[in-house]
């Protein structure tokens, strides 16, 4: 139940094992007429066909699949679009952000040239729109990056489009976590809502191989990003993930809507059941969550790391990265992919209650968790 992980189909995994694993593509450019690496005829075809699928699923004119993860994709966007001294506003670690420009970028030169500030969130764990508007007027950022690792509700991209044109900043969307929800249509597509550029991972709520992507409808921006990616950040771009990614996009085109809807239903069912047991589930005012994860404040129930205790029962979820509160993040993509539905979420909530409220011996609960999860070893939403 680690929200940044998933469970991929056997067929998708089989595509990772190919000769492409030992080959180089032409990393220097994406322009077919300028690509001159030898032995690349079929590699080029595979790459371009995968690009078409990514464009289709994200409603984008341009794509770059050279980043080998979401973090690298984000770095390429920030490095390409900012001049020294300019400011980025992003989600802080304390609000379950990735802290792309802040704490996650520990390159001293970068630190000294790119400024960073954080947007604020309200009680229900949504971006505080009014505060962000004021912050933008005061601080004049060049780039605002929406999206984090604990996204419960869609971010207010369309609310900032007009302001971005007026004030002269760019909107980026870090879709790493919600890529699968966007592809399945249960989350709004940030590009449709006016984001200038979107980047992310292909392996979190999107059940593909590990990898990254950048998409945009703006040719100038994607070209700048491409020139930053290669050759500075990436040369070998791990080609074996591309057929696997193409396959997982085909799965999403066929089954994505059903998969995405079930993920959200499962998140809400689990949140409600935990709430009924007396847990403090964040975002309750707005229906807990509209995404693939929920956030639980385990504060009253436990003093040590709740996720470490849950690990003893063989339930894996994530402790708050900022380390300053006993918040845990619980994701539903993997259990959904294994075929669990709302009834199973109630069973899972009961395991949480036994461990954190009744303080039952973890090894006894682990036996029940084992027996329960063994009933779900298949993989749904695949051909
Ligand atoms: C996971 C994550 C990343 C990094 O993606 P990788 O694929 O691990 O490189 C970036 N941003 C956010 C919000 C994330 O959750």
């Amino acid at each position: 139940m680690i929200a940044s992980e998933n469970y991929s189909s056997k067929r998708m995994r089989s595509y990772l094992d190919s000769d492409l694993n030992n080959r180089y593509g032409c990393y220097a450019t994406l322009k077919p007429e300028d690509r001159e690496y030898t032995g690349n005829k079929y590699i080029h075809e595979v790459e371009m066909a995968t690009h078409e699928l990514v464009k289709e699923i994200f409603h984008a004119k341009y794509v770059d699949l050279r980043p080998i993860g979401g973090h690298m994709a984000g770095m390429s966007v920030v490095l390409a679009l900012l001049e020294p001294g300019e400011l980025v506003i992003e989600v802080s670690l304390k609000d379950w952000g990735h802290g792309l420009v802040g704490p996650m970028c520990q390159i001293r030169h970068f630190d000294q040239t790119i400024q960073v500030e954080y947007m604020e969130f309200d009680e229900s764990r949504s971006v505080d729109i009014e505060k962000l508007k004021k912050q933008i007027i005061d601080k004049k950022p060049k780039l605002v990056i929406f999206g984090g690792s604990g996204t419960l509700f869609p971010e207010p991209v369309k609310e900032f489009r007009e302001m971005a044109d007026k004030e002269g900043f760019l909107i980026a969307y870090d879709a790493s976590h919600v890529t699968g929800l966007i592809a399945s249509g249960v989350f709004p597509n940030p590009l449709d809502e006016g984001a200038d550029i979107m980047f992310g991972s292909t392996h979190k709520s999107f059940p593909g191989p590990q990898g990254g992507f950048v998409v945009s409808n703006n040719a100038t921006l994607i070209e700048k990003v491409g020139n930053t990616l290669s050759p500075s950040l990436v040369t070998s771009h791990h080609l074996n993930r591309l057929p696997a990614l193409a396959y997982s996009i085909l799965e999403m085109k066929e089954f994505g809507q059903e998969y995405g809807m079930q993920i959200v239903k499962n998140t809400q069912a689990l949140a409600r059941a935990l709430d009924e047991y007396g847990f403090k589930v964040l975002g309750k005012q707005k229906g807990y969550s509209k995404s693939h994860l929920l956030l639980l404040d385990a504060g009253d129930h436990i003093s040590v790391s709740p996720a470490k205790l849950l690990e003893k029962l063989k339930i894996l979820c994530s402790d708050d990265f900022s380390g300053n509160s006993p918040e845990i993040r619980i994701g539903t993509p993997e259990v959904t992919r294994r075929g669990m539905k709302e009834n199973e979420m109630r069973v899972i909530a009961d395991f949480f209650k036994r461990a954190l409220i009744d303080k039952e011996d973890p090894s006894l609960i682990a036996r029940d968790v084992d027996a329960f999860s063994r009933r779900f070893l298949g993989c749904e939403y695949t051909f």
Side-chain angles (χ1 to χ4, degrees):
M1 304 190 86
I2 292 182
S4 49
E5 297 183 359
N6 214 317
Y7 190 66
S8 53
S9 59
K10 281 216 167 66
R11 184 88 177 269
M12 191 227 83
R13 293 180 200 204
S14 74
Y15 285 119
L16 284 169
D17 178 10
S18 77
D19 184 62
L20 294 185
N21 188 49
N22 299 90
R23 301 292 167 199
Y24 266 92
C26 176
Y27 48 77
T29 173
L30 295 181
K31 289 195 184 120
E33 62 280 12
D34 297 337
R35 297 191 116 185
E36 50 184 23
Y37 222 91
T38 49
N40 264 212
K41 182 169 182 282
Y42 298 115
I43 289 173
H44 179 72
E45 272 177 30
V46 168
E47 269 193 281
M48 292 303 131
T50 312
H51 282 193
E52 289 311 310
L53 286 168
V54 174
K55 287 189 215 168
E56 182 188 342
I57 204 160
F58 295 129
H59 313 165
K61 280 201 198 119
Y62 309 103
V63 56
D64 202 315
L65 292 177
R66 286 173 291 179
I68 58 173
H71 185 78
M72 181 190 280
M75 279 285 128
S76 70
V77 168
V78 173
L79 288 167
L81 305 187
L82 269 79
E83 295 297 328
E86 289 181 331
L87 172 74
V88 178
I89 297 180
E90 66 175 4
V91 182
S92 80
L93 229 49
K94 128 178 127 37
D95 291 308
W96 291 90
H98 181 65
L100 184 75
V101 186
M104 293 294 274
C105 184
Q106 309 207 349
I107 302 169
R108 201 168 49 82
H109 300 281
F110 195 90
D111 221 30
Q112 288 170 349
T113 52
I114 307 292
Q115 311 296 312
V116 59
E117 295 243 349
Y118 303 104
M119 59 184 76
E120 287 193 46
F121 282 67
D122 63 19
E123 298 269 275
S124 66
R125 292 298 172 117
S126 300
V127 173
D128 189 318
I129 295 178
E130 291 317 311
K131 281 192 182 154
L132 180 55
K133 284 189 171 164
K134 189 170 174 306
Q135 190 181 16
I136 288 171
I137 301 282
D138 289 350
K139 307 282 181 167
K140 308 213 170 311
K142 175 68 193 295
L143 179 67
V144 173
I145 309 176
F146 288 108
S149 315
T151 300
L152 298 178
F153 306 104
E155 278 83 1
V157 173
K158 62 177 183 303
E159 286 81 350
F160 285 87
R161 181 63 260 166
E162 209 178 300
M163 189 178 191
D165 291 331
K166 208 164 127 233
E167 302 294 324
F169 64 90
L170 295 166
I171 300 177
Y173 190 94
D174 181 348
S176 297
H177 259 268
V178 295
T179 304
L181 304 179
I182 293 168
S184 67
V186 298
F187 237 54
N189 183 325
L191 290 184
D192 293 344
E193 298 209 305
D196 294 291
I197 200 154
M198 173 163 93
F199 60 87
S201 317
T202 53
H203 50 268
K204 296 188 178 181
S205 65
F206 192 94
Q210 288 188 319
F213 70 93
V214 183
V215 288
S216 177
N217 286 314
N218 182 321
T220 314
L221 296 185
I222 204 85
E223 193 169 343
K224 280 188 185 172
V225 169
N227 291 340
T228 303
L229 267 170
S230 175
S232 303
L233 297 178
V234 64
T235 52
S236 63
H237 51 292
H238 302 191
L239 295 167
N240 65 320
R241 69 196 159 87
L242 296 182
L245 176 60
Y247 184 74
S248 58
I249 295 174
L250 297 178
E251 288 180 328
M252 287 299 278
K253 280 175 61 170
E254 186 73 20
F255 308 102
Q257 194 188 12
E258 206 189 327
Y259 163 73
M261 279 166 38
Q262 190 62 48
I263 281 185
V264 177
K265 279 193 223 161
N266 283 352
T267 305
Q268 292 175 349
L270 181 59
R272 199 171 312 113
L274 289 166
D275 184 16
E276 281 165 13
Y277 279 134
F279 285 106
K280 188 175 169 202
V281 185
L282 303 178
K284 184 177 177 181
Q285 307 89 315
K286 285 173 70 176
Y288 308 107
S289 171
K290 287 197 160 68
S291 77
H292 62 304
L293 61 89
L294 61 98
L295 298 173
L296 187 87
D297 183 343
D300 299 341
H301 303 290
I302 190 162
S303 54
V304 295
S305 150
K308 279 275 176 283
L309 174 71
L310 290 163
E311 188 174 13
K312 292 190 184 152
L313 336 172
K314 303 194 181 180
I315 293 181
L316 305 180
C317 47
S318 318
D319 274 322
D320 189 351
F321 320 124
S322 70
N324 55 20
S325 78
E327 245 171 59
I328 46 178
R329 183 188 68 182
I330 308 165
T332 53
E334 179 160 350
V335 292
T336 303
R337 206 102 206 286
R338 284 179 174 232
M340 295 189 198
K341 299 223 157 66
E342 290 93 317
N343 282 339
E344 283 75 39
M345 297 304 113
R346 284 188 277 277
V347 177
I348 293 174
D350 192 59
F351 294 139
F352 276 74
K353 169 184 171 284
R354 287 168 64 189
L356 297 173
I357 297 179
D358 303 341
K359 313 239 186 308
E360 209 180 295
D361 177 355
S363 60
L364 293 180
I365 314 170
R367 263 191 254 161
D368 294 344
V369 171
D370 232 8
F372 169 73
S373 56
R374 270 174 208 287
R375 289 170 35 214
F376 298 91
L377 297 177
C379 182
E380 304 288 323
Y381 313 100
T382 184
F383 296 102

